[in-house]
Amino acid sequence: MTRSSVQGEDTRQGAPDAPERAEADGKTESEEPDGGAEAGRRRPRRGRRVLRWTAVTLAVLIAGTAGAGYLYYEHLNDNIKKDALNLGDNKVAAPTPNAAGQTPLNILVIGSDARDSEANQQLGGARETFGSTPLADVQMLVHLSADRSNMSVVSMPRDTLVKIPKCTDPDDGKVYPASEGRVMTNRSLGHGGPGCTVATWQELTGIHIDHFVMVDFAGVVSMADAVGGVPVCVDANIHSRDREGHGSGLKLEKGTHPVKGEQALQWLRTRYGFEDGSDLARAKAQHMYLNSMVRTLRENATLSSPNKLRRLAEEATRALTVDPGLDTVKKLYDLSDELRKVKPERITMTTMPNRYVGARVEPTEDAEQLFRLVREDIALDGKDAKKKAADEEAADVSDDPAAADDEIAVQVRNGTRTDRLGAARGRANTVTGLLVEQGFAKAVADPSVLPSEDRTVVRYPSADLEGDAQRVAKSLGIPASSVQRSTDVSGVTLTVGADWREGTTYEAPASDDRTPESAEALNGADESACMHVNPAFTWS
C-alpha cells in the first residue's frame, strides 16, 4: 500500500504571531489536542479549510491530462500508485439511474500533507516530521451530475470532528477500530490508507463514492510547473512574510500574473497577506486558482504542445494515488473525458457549512442540506429548477400502461428510521391497509425494518412495471419524482420514508433545493475575482 507521512496539525488561528505550519520558512505549529481549545487559548478565526493543492489534480482531470495515453502507455501506467477504495464496512448503495439510465459520479480528492520524500520535506515540513503518520489534511468531494451538465464540489475542513468507522488495512489485515468519540477527519488517512477517508465520508454524508484521487506537495509543484502557469490576481503588491518569518513567501506585484511550480504552491498556501489573514481568505484564493486553472486548460493552451502534454502526463501519473477503478491511463482518460463535458459556468465550489466546537468544527444543519442536494443530484448553482419541473411533468405519463389496481403486486416496506429516531412501528402495515382499501388487493407488508429513507419512494425494476409504480404513487399522493427505477427491487416496492412517520395521508415535504448561503458557493466562470491584500503585507 502506498503511504504518505505528515506532520501534526496546524491551528485555525489567523493571528499574525501564530506560526504557519510548513510554509516557506519551514517552521511548524505545535500540535493541539483534539476536542477543544486549551485554557487561555484565543478562539480561532472563522476560516474555511479547502484543498491546498488538490486544485491542480482536479483541473488536470478536467482537462484530460491522461489523453497522452498513446505515449509509452505501460510506462505511464507503472507510474500510477494504487490503493483500496473503501476500507470500511458501510457500503452505501450506488444512486438509482435516471430515466435515461445515467448515474452521477462522485470522486473524493485527497491532499496528503506528505513528509515521506526529500522533495516533500523541502517544500514544507520540519526534519522531525519525516515518516510520521499520514494525515488527509485536505478533502474535496467532486460530484458530476448524472446528465453530465454540471459539477458540484464540496470541501470539508480538515479539523472537522467526525466518527471514523472501523477500517481494515487490506495489505496486512490490521484492523483499526472505530473511534470511540469524534476526532479530526484528517486522521482517517492513518487508519489503513485513503480507503478509510472514503469510508469516513460515506458514514457522515450517506453519499456513495465511486473513486478517490490523492496527491501530495511535490505533485502540486510538478504538475503546476508542467501546466505552464495559471493567471491569478492581487489588488496590491504582496509579500507573504512577517517580521517573525511566518508566511508562504509569495511575492507578487499588483495585477494579474501567471504562477506555476513552487510559486503556485505558495499561492495555494498563503494565509498571511490575504484579507484578514484567516483560512477563509486562503480558501478564496484557492477557489480562484482552481477556477483559473480549469479555464486555462479548457482553452487548450497546454494541450496544443506535444512536449508539454507529455510532461504533464508524466508528472500527473507520478503524483497520483488512485483506487483500482482508476489505475490505468485509459481509465483516467475516460474519467477526464466525462469531467470536461461540464462548462466552467456550471461548476460550483462550496465548503461544508460548519460551526466551532472548541478549537475544532462540526457539520451544521446546513451541511446536511448540502449533502442531500448531492445525494439527490441537484445542481448547486440553482439552474436545475426548470429542468426538474420538466422531468416531473414528463414523468406524470408513462409509455407503459398500468395494470388494473387489483392486479398490481406491491410490497410495502418501513424505512422511517432516522439517525435520531427509531422506526415508526407498524408503518408498513398501515400503508398496506390504505392500498388495499383503494383496491390494490395484492399489496403486502414487509415485516423487516430497512435502513432509513429520507422521503417515501416507489421503486420498480423494469420498464414494463413503470406504469404500475406510477399508478401506486398517484393513488397515495406521492409525487412522480419519487417513482424510481432500481435493480435493487424485484417488483413494485413502496418504501415509507421518514417524511411519513404517522397519519394516513401523505403530504410531500416542501422542497428547498437551494444551496445554503453558509456553503459560500463560488461559480467556476467568475473571471473578475482578485484577492485583496492586507496593507501590512504590501510593499512598494
Side-chain angles (χ1 to χ4, degrees):
M1 175 178 292
T2 302
R3 290 286 185 272
S4 55
S5 303
V6 297
Q7 198 235 346
E9 304 115 26
D10 55 331
T11 70
R12 293 172 62 89
Q13 292 181 338
D17 59 346
E20 179 146 33
R21 170 182 172 220
E23 289 200 347
D25 55 313
K27 297 181 180 179
T28 62
E29 293 180 338
S30 61
E31 182 169 338
E32 298 180 13
D34 288 325
E38 295 175 354
R41 176 177 295 147
R42 286 175 295 177
R43 184 176 183 80
R45 295 182 184 177
R46 179 85 174 162
R48 296 287 191 264
R49 286 279 178 187
V50 191
L51 288 173
R52 297 176 181 172
W53 47 85
T54 307
V56 181
T57 306
L58 176 59
V60 166
L61 290 175
I62 292 173
T65 304
Y70 65 94
L71 299 171
Y72 44 86
Y73 181 79
E74 290 302 327
H75 167 71
L76 293 180
N77 283 345
D78 290 341
N79 284 345
I80 302 170
K81 297 177 284 294
K82 301 95 176 175
D83 221 322
L85 173 61
N86 189 339
L87 303 183
D89 295 330
N90 181 14
K91 311 298 183 182
V92 176
T96 302
N98 62 16
Q102 303 165 307
T103 55
L105 193 61
N106 295 308
I107 307 131
L108 186 62
V109 188
I110 303 169
S112 168
D113 209 354
R115 303 290 192 276
D116 58 352
S117 69
E118 183 178 351
N120 282 327
Q121 194 172 15
Q122 289 177 350
L123 290 168
R127 181 173 300 175
E128 64 269 17
T129 68
F130 189 87
S132 56
T133 303
L135 298 173
D137 262 6
V138 287
Q139 303 169 30
M140 178 180 286
L141 180 68
V142 179
H143 171 83
L144 183 62
S145 66
D147 63 4
R148 305 307 190 247
S149 67
N150 66 87
M151 185 186 303
S152 302
V153 181
V154 180
S155 63
M156 183 189 298
R158 68 169 189 89
D159 48 5
T160 301
L161 294 176
V162 299
K163 289 185 178 180
I164 299 177
K166 182 181 77 172
C167 293
T168 303
D169 190 322
D171 284 353
D172 57 17
K174 181 178 179 179
V175 176
Y176 295 83
S179 58
E180 294 184 1
R182 297 190 303 173
V183 299
M184 287 173 57
T185 184
N186 66 348
R187 291 190 173 190
S188 59
L189 187 60
H191 288 224
C196 194
T197 304
V198 169
T200 301
W201 267 79
Q202 292 199 158
E203 285 275 351
L204 176 67
T205 68
I207 297 170
H208 174 82
I209 295 177
D210 301 281
H211 301 291
F212 76 79
V213 175
M214 186 168 69
V215 67
D216 59 16
F217 280 140
V220 173
V221 172
S222 60
M223 287 193 291
D225 194 43
V227 167
V230 173
V232 296
C233 176
V234 288
D235 66 0
N237 296 344
I238 182 175
H239 186 200
S240 178
R241 181 75 70 204
D242 67 10
R243 293 179 179 179
E244 285 77 32
H246 310 138
S248 70
L250 178 70
K251 189 172 184 178
L252 288 175
E253 294 182 355
K254 175 182 178 180
T256 300
H257 309 277
V259 294
K260 62 179 181 178
E262 190 168 351
Q263 192 175 43
L265 182 62
Q266 290 176 335
W267 175 274
L268 292 168
R269 306 183 67 221
T270 293
R271 174 158 61 91
Y272 295 97
F274 285 155
E275 299 185 354
D276 62 356
S278 70
D279 282 336
L280 177 59
R282 173 157 52 188
K284 290 174 64 176
Q286 292 163 349
H287 281 152
M288 291 177 188
Y289 180 91
L290 174 56
N291 286 341
S292 183
M293 171 73 88
V294 171
R295 292 192 298 267
T296 298
L297 291 177
R298 285 186 66 88
E299 292 170 359
N300 289 328
T302 299
L303 303 183
S304 63
S305 167
N307 288 334
K308 286 184 177 181
L309 176 60
R310 175 171 176 164
R311 182 182 179 191
L312 189 53
E314 185 80 36
E315 299 296 352
T317 52
R318 284 179 177 174
L320 302 181
T321 300
V322 300
D323 67 272
L326 295 177
D327 64 357
T328 68
V329 169
K330 175 64 167 59
K331 292 175 183 177
L332 284 169
Y333 177 75
D334 288 343
L335 173 61
S336 69
D337 199 40
E338 293 290 289
L339 290 169
R340 64 181 175 182
K341 293 176 182 177
V342 182
K343 297 179 180 179
E345 55 266 28
R346 295 303 313 276
I347 298 175
T348 306
M349 290 184 294
T350 63
T351 298
M352 181 198 76
N354 60 83
R355 59 176 162 249
Y356 275 102
V357 180
R360 311 304 184 195
V361 300
E362 65 181 5
T364 63
E365 292 74 16
D366 281 354
E368 174 52 34
Q369 165 76 347
L370 193 64
F371 298 151
R372 181 185 69 80
L373 296 179
V374 174
R375 286 196 302 266
E376 298 182 7
D377 196 26
I378 298 172
L380 299 186
D381 60 9
K383 295 180 180 180
D384 272 358
K386 293 182 178 180
K387 173 180 172 291
K388 182 177 180 181
D391 288 346
E392 291 187 0
E393 183 178 353
D396 283 342
V397 180
S398 170
D399 293 334
D400 170 54
D405 290 355
D406 60 359
E407 292 297 322
I408 298 176
V410 188
Q411 185 178 57
V412 182
R413 296 176 172 176
N414 186 348
T416 58
R417 184 170 57 190
T418 71
D419 291 338
R420 298 180 179 180
L421 298 172
R425 296 181 62 181
R427 291 309 293 164
N429 287 328
T430 297
V431 175
T432 298
L434 294 176
L435 287 171
V436 172
E437 288 177 4
Q438 295 191 35
F440 293 89
K442 293 186 177 182
V444 295
D446 181 344
S448 60
V449 176
L450 302 175
S452 62
E453 288 276 2
D454 292 335
R455 300 192 178 191
T456 299
V457 62
V458 181
R459 295 189 173 96
Y460 62 96
S462 54
D464 61 313
L465 292 178
E466 181 180 17
D468 293 355
Q470 290 187 357
R471 173 61 190 145
V472 170
K474 185 176 182 179
S475 71
L476 295 175
I478 300 170
S481 58
S482 294
V483 179
Q484 303 172 0
R485 183 171 177 173
S486 173
T487 56
D488 293 333
V489 296
S490 58
V492 176
T493 304
L494 189 161
T495 302
V496 185
D499 59 347
W500 198 11
R501 290 179 57 86
E502 58 185 24
T504 57
T505 302
Y506 179 73
E507 296 181 6
S511 180
D512 182 3
D513 294 340
R514 295 172 297 179
T515 299
E517 290 186 8
S518 56
E520 300 182 354
L522 182 66
N523 185 269
D526 186 357
E527 298 186 42
S528 64
C530 193
M531 289 303 299
H532 173 62
V533 176
N534 186 315
F537 290 85
T538 193
W539 54 276
S540 59

